[in-house]
Amino acid sequence: MTGLIIFGLLAVLMLTGMPVSISLGLTVLTFLFAFTQVPIESVALKLFTGIEKFEIMAIPFFILAGNFLTHGGVAKRMIRFATSLVGHWPGGLGLGAVVACALFAAVSGSSPATVVAVGSILLPAMVKAGYPKRFGAGVIASAGGLGILIPPSIVMVMYAVSTNSSIGALFMAGVVPGLVLAAMLLGTTWYQAWRGGYPREKRASWGERWTAFRESIWGLLLIVVVMGGIYSGVFTPTEAAAMSAVYAFFIATFVYKDLKVRDLPKTLLASANMSAMLLYIITNAVLFSFLLTHENIPQGVADWLLGSGLGVIGFLLAVNVLLLVMGSFMEPSSIILITAPILFPIAMKLGIDPIHFGIMITVNMEIGMITPPVGLNLYVASGISKLGLSEMSVAVWPWLLTMLVFLGLVTYWPAMTLALPRALGMVA
């Protein structure tokens, strides 16, 4: 009954159009004031202690690094390198978009940033080359989702903070699934292009490929800096995020010289705005998690589910359905911060590995990015392509189906997720 009241309050506030962060905070305050004896003063303390975590500092640093890379010419050099590798196949620019998204995902940590960086350059080029605009927009919106699966990933940091999981292990666990999904998206793109008779680029010589690689090497080295630094123990994931921001600033300003010093305040302000928004959501979500724990709701739900005889297969299926539905109406950070405190204890009782569970949730969030009506990548790609939301929703269907198949693989084949972190000794 308590759970129904809490989630009923939250649903009513969100249906009024109130932002998720404020809805969460107001739900907590209303419930505590009306139904409990908890002193309201404790809310202020919880607001502060909730975000007093070293790991949360990784979020603004990865956002800043992503903005430096987006505006600093790194993306266009990665696109040139990616297209030189696969451009000679049917739908070459579409295939290049998938490879470029995978490469940019490995340095940015953000899905919308990946769509903006790759889409703003490649989409006009694809239309000019004779590709249907719908095909180009569909490829880029879908492949942009790799931004939160291939590490580093802001969504993985959110999950780790919510569940006290290892960020380093999550990052390593995302590598193999990210590469597998990139390969599946490449296959879908090639098939769509082959069936539609879309153009291909002139085959690049090995000399041209080497030149493109050499030009993009500074951006690609960031992958080595972040992942190599975390695995070798040189720095923690949070320190890796700070390092990536400094490195991205250096190469964008002093190596490629595409980011002018006069543009720096605008980039810093955009990063601060995005960071403040996410941190505000986290703060209120921590409050909401505190309320759920105080009322023993996660424990009650876990006992009810285990008592009903729902096994691992049924639980994972139910979680996927729940997250896919929520992904259609909410953005990833809010979903993770609301659902993780409830679902995580149940997953642990059922013996599901926390790292595997985190990657499964991340894939669900990735699919939510291209699911109407609130898929963020749809809106970003719509803004670039000038296609309506309904057209964008149709455009992504082939890749959306591919991602649903991939979700089934990730869910019921944990070895794919855990192989690398297990080999590196990061999980048992």
Side-chain angles (χ1 to χ4, degrees), residues 54-408:
F54 182 63
E55 294 85 355
I56 291 179
M57 288 175 63
I59 295 170
F61 284 129
F62 277 132
I63 290 171
L64 183 58
N67 279 338
F68 282 143
L69 295 169
T70 302
H71 301 296
V74 176
K76 69 182 179 186
R77 290 169 175 83
M78 285 185 172
I79 289 168
R80 201 175 300 140
F81 174 55
T83 308
S84 73
L85 295 177
V86 295
H88 56 283
W89 292 339
L93 287 180
L95 296 172
V98 177
V99 176
C101 283
L103 291 174
F104 196 79
V107 296
S108 74
S110 166
S111 187
T114 304
V115 175
V116 169
V118 176
S120 56
I121 298 169
L122 259 184
L123 195 56
M126 290 175 78
V127 172
K128 188 178 177 182
Y131 291 83
K133 189 182 284 187
R134 187 182 281 185
F135 171 80
V139 171
I140 291 165
S142 307
L146 291 167
I148 60 173
L149 180 58
I150 295 178
S153 164
I154 293 169
V155 168
M156 288 183 193
V157 175
M158 292 280 196
Y159 172 83
V161 167
S162 301
T163 61
N164 289 319
S165 299
S166 163
I167 298 177
L170 277 166
F171 280 5
M172 291 302 171
V175 173
V176 174
L179 293 175
V180 170
L181 179 57
M184 290 174 70
L185 293 176
L186 279 169
T188 304
T189 305
W190 177 86
Y191 176 74
Q192 292 292 114
W194 173 74
R195 200 180 65 172
Y198 298 154
R200 60 175 81 192
E201 302 296 295
K202 185 172 75 72
R203 182 189 287 270
S205 68
W206 285 105
E208 289 169 328
R209 288 173 182 170
W210 171 249
T211 302
F213 172 72
R214 203 174 61 224
E215 288 176 353
S216 64
I217 188 67
W218 285 98
L220 297 173
L221 275 175
L222 187 52
I223 304 171
V224 179
V225 170
V226 174
M227 301 304 288
I230 292 171
Y231 169 59
S232 64
V234 173
F235 35 64
T236 66
T238 305
E239 291 163 349
M243 184 69 193
S244 70
V246 173
Y247 182 88
F249 166 72
F250 177 78
I251 62 171
T253 309
F254 300 110
V255 179
Y256 293 146
K257 299 179 181 176
D258 288 331
L259 182 68
K260 307 301 179 191
V261 174
R262 65 174 179 270
D263 298 326
L264 199 54
K266 188 170 69 174
T267 306
L268 291 171
L269 186 61
S271 303
N273 283 338
M274 176 64 77
S275 300
M277 183 191 77
L278 285 177
L279 290 172
Y280 188 59
I281 292 172
I282 292 171
T283 305
N284 285 289
V286 166
L287 265 186
F288 189 72
S289 173
F290 160 71
L291 176 61
L292 294 179
T293 308
H294 182 267
E295 297 298 318
N296 286 322
I297 290 172
Q299 186 65 40
V301 173
D303 291 342
W304 176 74
L305 279 173
L306 294 172
S308 66
L310 190 69
V312 173
I313 293 174
F315 170 71
L316 291 176
L317 180 62
V319 169
N320 281 333
V321 171
L322 172 68
L323 294 177
L324 289 173
V325 171
M326 291 182 75
S328 299
F329 299 98
M330 295 169 65
E331 55 89 35
S333 306
S334 305
I335 297 172
I336 288 176
L337 293 166
I338 292 171
T339 59
I342 299 173
L343 299 175
F344 185 77
I346 304 170
M348 295 308 96
K349 281 197 172 186
L350 289 169
I352 298 166
D353 187 274
I355 302 302
H356 168 232
F357 193 60
I359 298 299
M360 188 192 87
I361 288 178
T362 303
V363 174
N364 275 286
M365 299 303 97
E366 189 177 19
I367 294 171
M369 296 291 242
I370 58 168
T371 311
V374 190
L376 193 53
N377 284 7
L378 292 183
Y379 283 96
V380 175
S382 174
I384 297 170
S385 65
K386 302 295 183 275
L387 292 174
L389 187 62
S390 55
E391 283 184 283
M392 279 302 311
S393 303
V394 173
V396 298
W397 261 108
W399 296 274
L400 179 59
L401 291 174
T402 302
M403 290 165 87
L404 288 170
V405 171
F406 174 72
L407 175 60

